[in-house]
Amino acid sequence: MSKATVIGLGKSGVAAARLLKREGWEVELSDRNTSETLLEQQQELAAEQITVKLGQSLELNGANLPQLIVVSPGVPWDIPVLVEARQLGIETIGEMELAWRNLRSLPWVGITGTNGKTTTTALIAAIFQAAELNAPACGNIGYAACEVALSQRGRGAEGQGSRGEGTAIQNHIDWVIAEVSSYQIESSSSLAPRIGVWTTFTPDHLSRHKTLENYYNIKAKLLHQSELQVFNGDDAYLRQLGLSAWPDAYWTSVRGKDFLISEKGFYIEDGWVVEKLTATYAPEPIVKVSSLRMVGEHNQQNLLMAVATARLAGINRDAIALAIREFPGVAHRLEHICTWEGIDFINDSKATNYDAAEVGLASLNSPAILIAGGEAKAGDDTGWLAQIQTKTAAVLLIGSAAPAFAKRLQEVGYHNYHIVETMERAIPKSAELAKQYQAPVVLLSPACASFDQYPNFEVRGDRFRHLCLAWAGGWKPARVELPELENSSQESIVQSR
């Protein structure tokens, strides 16, 4: 029996292991972490004859080497053991590639980009489903891609997706709607969607991809392998490359027909999304922009790309309009949590870099109270800092990035910030400051990864949601003052009822 090793005991890794077992592989799953939850999963998988090794990394020693290694999305592609595996001739692929090999007979939509891909993916899936197509969202949103593959092979995927779906995927699938990160593209050699969508491109994940050029080339690979291509023509980097790099693509623009850089594409005019499929094709209005309840120009860009994808897939205008009217938005992306005494609390935990956080601030009414910080990423913070100066009454800083962010705010002459360190301290302080400055919005938009304090941005956003709802529901923390820090204030919160 051929042996396969899966690295990473997350949702994707477990689904990959089960799929491989179904195909007749001897499967071993390894994870360098250990916890009660992982131990429970270990026992569950052992009953399925899948070996799970916890608290240790894969080692390629001895004669019993695997013929295949499958890597979960969060595992760096260039760690020494994977480099060694490739040198030894061991086939090494990502979980997304494994799913593709099992689902390549189906049409895929592959959505990638630095920012905007989750909202665009969710909106595309909603439109396809409104057209009565079975089109599960997977990858970085919803189900693991291998969960979809498992269901197509005759077994419902019973695990819940990252958004808490909890219902089994139906066996007959019409389209696969996949949000694909750079990590997943990097480890997927043959993934070739029917329609590829590129939402935005700005510096991100450079600690992993090293250079902007390398990051771009990884993203571009997915689009080059796509039969049809949809691009955000309002993105500065993609627009600069334009038709010279992507001559056959469908481009979009929220600024109207005159800003469309191709003879075919989708644009906004007189409050409508307009379709122009060829140079000689008469423009056709598809749906009113006002049907979408989400605010901000960036969401109009997401709308354009979603509508373009749907129309290229042959979906009619009625289904598109229905889906857009009913679309609630995406958790952790400018998600309205509650209103307390006229102040809206907004969860933008998915803004894990400066560009996404800048977009979040730009879309809201000012003045806002901003909660930012976490594990800092490399990138250009100029536009983000400019939005802070324009849009915020005060900034609360959490996480390991707080001292560095405080220094940057000082350097641009912004001094109304407070280092509060934790979300538990940030919520009551934000409410206090919102009252003081008559700010209509408290916004969590970290501009940082979450890994210093939380397992992922979802857990961070869920914690924000829980604390906001608890605050609005009536408990008021008792405040314990801590010593003043340089140019900031810091305080500890003890919950009381």
Side-chain angles (χ1 to χ4, degrees):
M1 184 183 292
S2 297
K3 180 180 178 182
T5 295
V6 179
I7 303 177
L9 187 59
K11 179 177 63 173
S12 298
V14 170
R18 285 177 168 152
L19 183 58
L20 289 166
K21 186 66 179 177
R22 173 82 60 79
E23 294 178 336
W25 292 80
E26 177 190 346
V27 184
E28 180 179 287
L29 202 160
S30 66
D31 198 300
R32 64 184 180 181
N33 299 308
T34 186
S35 67
E36 282 191 24
T37 300
L38 294 181
L39 288 167
E40 289 174 4
Q41 283 187 295
Q42 182 184 46
Q43 293 178 350
E44 180 182 340
L45 291 167
E48 301 175 33
Q49 297 182 312
I50 296 172
T51 301
V52 177
K53 293 186 176 180
L54 296 176
Q56 55 186 290
S57 299
L58 174 65
E59 293 184 358
L60 300 174
N61 297 323
N64 189 26
L65 294 174
Q67 285 73 52
L68 175 67
I69 296 175
V70 178
V71 182
S72 296
V75 178
W77 191 235
D78 58 355
I79 57 175
V81 70
L82 296 184
V83 174
E84 181 186 359
R86 291 191 285 270
Q87 290 172 344
L88 290 170
I90 300 171
E91 185 176 20
T92 306
I93 64 173
E95 179 263 347
M96 181 72 74
E97 172 72 10
L98 179 63
W100 164 255
R101 293 181 182 186
N102 282 270
L103 296 169
R104 63 189 310 158
S105 62
L106 296 172
W108 283 52
V109 179
I111 303 98
T112 195
T114 309
N115 299 308
K117 57 184 179 291
T118 297
T119 301
T120 304
T121 302
L123 188 49
I124 290 171
I127 294 171
F128 278 57
Q129 289 157 19
E132 299 185 350
L133 294 168
N134 185 19
C138 67
N140 267 14
I141 179 176
Y143 297 100
C146 280
E147 286 183 291
V148 179
L150 275 168
S151 75
Q152 187 68 356
R153 294 176 63 85
R155 173 185 173 188
E158 296 173 355
Q160 293 188 353
S162 62
R163 304 285 173 245
E165 286 86 357
T167 55
I169 308 169
Q170 298 172 25
N171 281 343
H172 176 74
I173 294 172
D174 299 301
W175 283 78
V176 178
I177 313 297
E179 179 186 330
V180 193
S181 71
S182 57
Y183 299 177
Q184 290 162 316
I185 299 169
E186 191 175 33
S187 59
S188 299
S189 58
S190 64
L191 176 60
R194 175 78 57 82
I195 304 171
V197 182
W198 196 335
T199 60
T200 55
F201 184 74
T202 54
D204 197 14
H205 304 303
L206 296 188
S207 60
R208 173 156 168 171
H209 299 312
K210 310 306 180 188
T211 67
L212 189 65
E213 181 182 17
N214 189 39
Y215 179 44
Y216 172 83
N217 288 336
I218 291 168
K219 293 282 192 188
K221 175 183 161 186
L222 181 74
L223 277 295
H224 281 304
Q225 294 182 180
S226 299
E227 183 179 332
L228 300 170
Q229 302 151 343
V230 175
F231 281 82
N232 175 5
D234 296 321
D235 180 86
Y237 196 100
L238 297 177
R239 187 178 182 86
Q240 184 179 6
L241 293 169
L243 297 179
S244 61
W246 305 97
D248 298 320
Y250 291 85
W251 293 83
T252 67
S253 180
V254 300
R255 295 177 174 84
K257 181 179 177 180
D258 292 343
F259 287 84
L260 206 62
I261 64 174
S262 169
E263 293 184 334
K264 58 184 183 181
F266 294 74
Y267 56 91
I268 292 176
E269 187 171 83
D270 298 328
W272 284 80
V273 172
V274 179
E275 167 186 278
K276 191 174 190 301
L277 291 182
T278 68
T280 57
Y281 183 92
E284 181 180 354
I286 303 300
V287 65
K288 283 188 175 182
V289 177
S290 60
S291 300
L292 186 68
R293 289 181 283 175
M294 301 170 69
V295 300
E297 184 178 281
H298 65 292
N299 280 320
Q300 293 181 7
Q301 293 166 342
N302 298 336
L303 172 65
L304 278 172
M305 290 180 285
V307 171
T309 301
R311 293 296 287 167
L312 293 176
I315 293 175
N316 65 49
R317 286 178 293 180
D318 290 343
I320 292 171
L322 173 64
I324 290 169
R325 280 197 307 270
E326 296 184 350
F327 187 66
V330 175
H332 311 295
R333 192 66 181 111
L334 292 174
E335 176 192 12
H336 182 269
I337 301 300
C338 62
T339 301
W340 173 77
E341 296 192 12
I343 301 162
D344 292 324
F345 286 76
I346 306 293
N347 170 22
D348 199 29
S349 182
K350 199 175 189 304
T352 60
N353 56 48
Y354 297 120
D355 297 284
E358 178 185 345
V359 166
L361 273 172
S363 68
L364 296 179
N365 294 327
S366 57
I369 306 300
L370 172 66
I371 302 170
E375 184 179 288
K377 290 183 176 181
D380 183 358
D381 63 3
T382 307
W384 177 65
L385 290 169
Q387 282 293 334
I388 287 176
Q389 291 174 295
T390 303
K391 284 295 192 81
T392 67
V395 177
L396 302 178
L397 299 174
I398 63 174
S400 62
F405 278 9
K407 183 179 179 183
R408 287 294 291 135
L409 290 169
Q410 288 181 49
E411 288 171 354
V412 298
Y414 188 101
H415 298 287
N416 198 20
Y417 64 85
H418 308 260
I419 296 179
V420 293
E421 295 186 340
T422 67
M423 198 77 74
E424 287 72 16
R425 297 172 180 173
I427 300 308
K429 185 65 174 178
S430 69
E432 174 190 321
L433 292 171
K435 285 285 191 181
Q436 179 181 340
Y437 293 106
Q438 297 184 321
V441 177
V442 170
L443 172 67
L444 169 67
S445 192
C448 282
S450 58
F451 305 124
D452 58 331
Q453 294 180 318
Y454 302 95
N456 51 53
F457 72 82
E458 290 100 336
V459 174
R460 176 172 62 190
D462 289 342
R463 185 59 179 160
F464 175 79
R465 181 189 296 109
H466 170 79
L467 291 168
C468 290
L469 292 174
W471 176 269
W475 68 259
K476 299 295 181 286
R479 189 168 58 204
V480 179
E481 297 294 339
L482 295 178
E484 287 288 313
L485 300 180
E486 183 180 358
N487 290 316
S488 69
S489 65
Q490 186 183 44
E491 54 195 49
S492 174
I493 300 298
V494 180
Q495 180 175 325
S496 65
R497 290 189 180 273

